[in-house]
Amino acid sequence: MKAISVLGSTGSIGTQTLEIVQDFPDQFRVVALTAGRNLPLLVEQIQRHSPEVVALADDSLLKGLEERLNSLPADQQPQRQPELVGGPGGLNVAASWDTADLVVTGIVGCAGLLPTLAAIRAGKDLALANKETLIAAGPVVLPELKKSGSRLLPADSEHSAIFQCLQGTPWADNARLSTGVPTPGLRRIQLTASGGAFRDWAAADLEKASVADATSHPNWSMGRKITVDSASLMNKGLEVIEAHYLFGLDYDHIEIVIHPQSIIHSMIELADSSVLAQLGWPDMKLPILYCMSWPSRLETPWRRLNLTEVGQLTFNEPDPAKYPCMQLAYAAGRAGGTMPAVLNAANEEAVAQFLEERIHFLDIPDLIETVCERHQSDRTDQPQLDDVLAVDQWARIAVREQVDRGTRRLPLTAMAA
Ligand code: NAD
Ligand code: MG
């Protein structure tokens, strides 16, 4: 039985991870859960999984959680009363919980950084969904992994695809994963992108993009932030940086290809020119399960891929004019040091402002570009954790100040009028 901790248990990744635990009761048990604000769902999860510890990001909600648990009828009480902890310290306690074998990181954004580091420092293996952590703090996270011996297993579907393909290359030593050292024999990565919500929109029409438009993804059902990132292709840009840190390739050898069917989850090219791909229906449960069962594979009752049903697999190059976020991510990745942390934080803040309808969709890349340019002269090459946390805060404030001063685009309400 593998003991699993789920950070961000009430989100899209978190709930899917818990469904897997339920589907394989002989293989996995839950020892720790952490969540943001969704107490009703968290209580249900505690009832079902009886974790040893539960952490809330906001410790002012702890009392409410305790009351909800105490008021459950006797026959609906969890098998054990979990230890309840809160705030940043509480998240770290849950992330480094002694009995856990694997920590699934389903917190969204750089808020996942400190719990992820706590898990690594405790020597836990990680299923990394929370890509923002590695993107913002690659130069901090990689040496910590080396020191503790923790392994970073990619739960992001593209990186899982690459990882799965690499299992078939005898000279790519699995244990070298995510040390930032080039993977032997790996020459090129092609990350596939669905194209997101605006795949079939003309670039000129993006002026009219609303929050509802940007949060409806054609192929995947995910949290709101990553769905907007998919619409802007920032998600794929972030995944380029994620792939750089996980597999050690330079940016000239990590490419993006639009593949609207989302059946091929990514491809690798090897030294002899052979290309390997991993295929499957677009369903995050498979990459999450693979992290949980690795290096084994479990028999599942899941729907089998039928390519004749799919009919066609098509591919095209992404249009850089339509997706400026993609170029911004490559530039930040190439600049390295603290720049990816600034890119990530500016994006998180800009997306939050967009979701609150304070800015236009097309303001997102403008704001990120301005903030990254301003950071140019302050960039640190080999950042420590404090440097990453400082630039993360600075970039968020810089975006908010810029929004308060006004953006180049018309506000949505003015456009609608
Ligand atoms: P989500 O918004 O559905 O869930 C986020 C979870 O984090 C929730 O449990 C929430 O309560 C918690 N949370 C939010 N803010 C927090 C904070 N400040 N401190 C602590 N906890 C907080 O997000 P998601 O779609 O599940 O994505 C989670 C991560 O996985 C992201 O980094 C995303 O990029 C990555 N990812 C998601 C998918 C997907 O299919 N959803 C696919 C690939 C990668
Ligand atoms: Mg992905």
Side-chain angles (χ1 to χ4, degrees):
M1 276 272 243
K2 220 178 240 181
I4 311 284
S5 296
V6 187
L7 312 184
S9 68
T10 53
S12 162
I13 291 290
T15 50
Q16 293 182 84
T17 305
L18 292 178
E19 280 169 29
I20 293 172
V21 172
Q22 252 178 286
D23 290 348
F24 297 93
D26 302 337
Q27 300 286 336
F28 309 114
R29 69 189 177 100
V30 173
V31 291
L33 297 175
T34 85
R37 317 196 67 83
N38 189 345
L39 297 189
L41 179 56
L42 181 60
V43 168
E44 273 177 40
Q45 294 179 341
I46 295 170
Q47 287 174 288
R48 182 161 294 138
H49 296 283
S50 293
E52 294 166 13
V53 64
V54 174
L56 282 176
D58 177 352
D59 56 6
S60 72
L61 300 177
L62 272 179
K63 212 172 157 39
L65 177 61
E66 207 174 344
E67 282 166 9
R68 280 171 188 267
L69 288 171
N70 289 340
S71 64
L72 290 173
D75 62 339
Q76 291 177 28
Q77 289 283 339
Q79 277 168 9
R80 77 162 68 79
Q81 288 303 327
E83 186 172 330
L84 301 183
V85 289
L91 291 182
N92 291 349
V93 167
S96 55
W97 196 249
D98 192 39
T99 51
D101 300 312
L102 178 81
V103 179
V104 180
T105 69
I107 293 176
V108 60
C110 205
L113 173 55
L114 295 179
T116 300
L117 282 175
I120 294 172
R121 286 171 182 161
K124 306 294 175 192
D125 283 348
L126 284 97
L128 180 86
N130 176 222
K131 66 190 89 178
E132 294 93 341
T133 284
L134 186 61
I135 288 149
V140 176
V141 170
L142 295 181
E144 291 278 355
L145 286 168
K146 209 169 179 180
K147 218 188 296 170
S148 75
S150 297
R151 285 175 298 207
L152 206 50
L153 304 163
D156 212 351
S157 56
E158 298 75 4
H159 307 75
S160 173
I162 296 163
F163 183 48
Q164 291 182 56
C165 292
L166 284 172
Q167 309 297 307
T169 61
W171 11 262
D173 173 2
N174 295 328
R176 292 173 65 126
L177 181 75
S178 61
T179 52
V181 177
T183 306
L186 178 63
R187 291 291 175 270
R188 191 164 63 113
I189 286 173
Q190 284 186 296
L191 295 173
T192 51
S194 68
F198 301 131
R199 180 176 68 200
D200 302 324
W201 288 42
D205 292 339
L206 291 179
E207 287 279 0
K208 298 184 216 123
S210 70
V211 170
D213 294 328
T215 49
S216 53
H217 196 283
N219 300 2
W220 299 91
S221 156
M222 311 181 284
R224 274 159 73 81
K225 188 256 175 187
I226 186 178
T227 306
V228 176
D229 285 349
S230 297
S232 68
L233 237 68
M234 179 55 98
N235 183 48
K236 212 51 54 180
L238 295 176
E239 289 180 356
V240 167
I241 303 174
E242 184 184 9
H244 168 76
Y245 286 131
L246 283 171
F247 305 108
L249 274 193
D250 63 55
Y251 287 95
D252 290 342
H253 294 91
I254 306 174
E255 295 165 13
I256 297 174
V257 57
I258 304 273
H259 167 45
Q261 297 82 13
S262 295
I263 295 293
I264 292 186
H265 297 306
S266 278
M267 294 168 265
I268 61 170
E269 183 187 296
L270 300 169
D272 59 1
S273 83
S274 181
V275 172
L276 304 184
Q278 186 261 333
L279 285 71
W281 297 115
D283 185 341
M284 281 305 294
K285 273 190 165 176
L286 181 62
I288 297 171
L289 174 68
Y290 190 61
C291 290
M292 292 166 70
S293 68
W294 182 84
S296 311
R297 289 198 182 259
L298 295 178
E299 181 79 31
T300 76
W302 297 342
R303 183 179 167 217
R304 304 283 143 168
L305 181 63
N306 177 350
L307 283 177
T308 56
E309 200 180 310
V310 180
Q312 277 196 324
L313 300 179
T314 58
F315 307 90
N316 53 282
E317 263 182 54
D319 173 2
K322 181 173 168 186
Y323 296 116
C325 284
M326 191 177 66
Q327 302 303 106
L328 293 171
Y330 268 105
R334 288 193 165 102
T338 44
M339 193 58 89
V342 168
L343 171 96
N344 175 65
N347 179 58
E348 282 189 32
E349 187 57 40
V351 169
Q353 297 279 339
F354 170 68
L355 287 171
E356 285 171 27
E357 300 194 327
R358 296 194 65 210
I359 62 168
H360 196 284
F361 181 73
L362 291 175
D363 288 322
I364 296 174
D366 285 359
L367 286 162
I368 298 167
E369 186 170 18
T370 308
V371 172
C372 287
E373 271 170 12
R374 284 179 58 196
H375 181 63
Q376 210 68 273
S377 52
D378 296 330
R379 199 186 63 84
T380 307
D381 219 20
Q382 297 290 335
Q384 304 293 309
L385 177 59
D386 286 348
D387 302 317
V388 171
L389 296 174
V391 301
D392 177 274
Q393 283 309 309
W394 172 82
R396 286 166 203 268
I397 293 167
V399 168
R400 284 198 286 269
E401 284 174 354
Q402 178 69 39
V403 171
D404 291 342
R405 280 199 299 273
T407 54
R408 280 203 290 134
R409 313 270 167 185
L410 288 173
L412 286 173
T413 42
M415 286 190 47

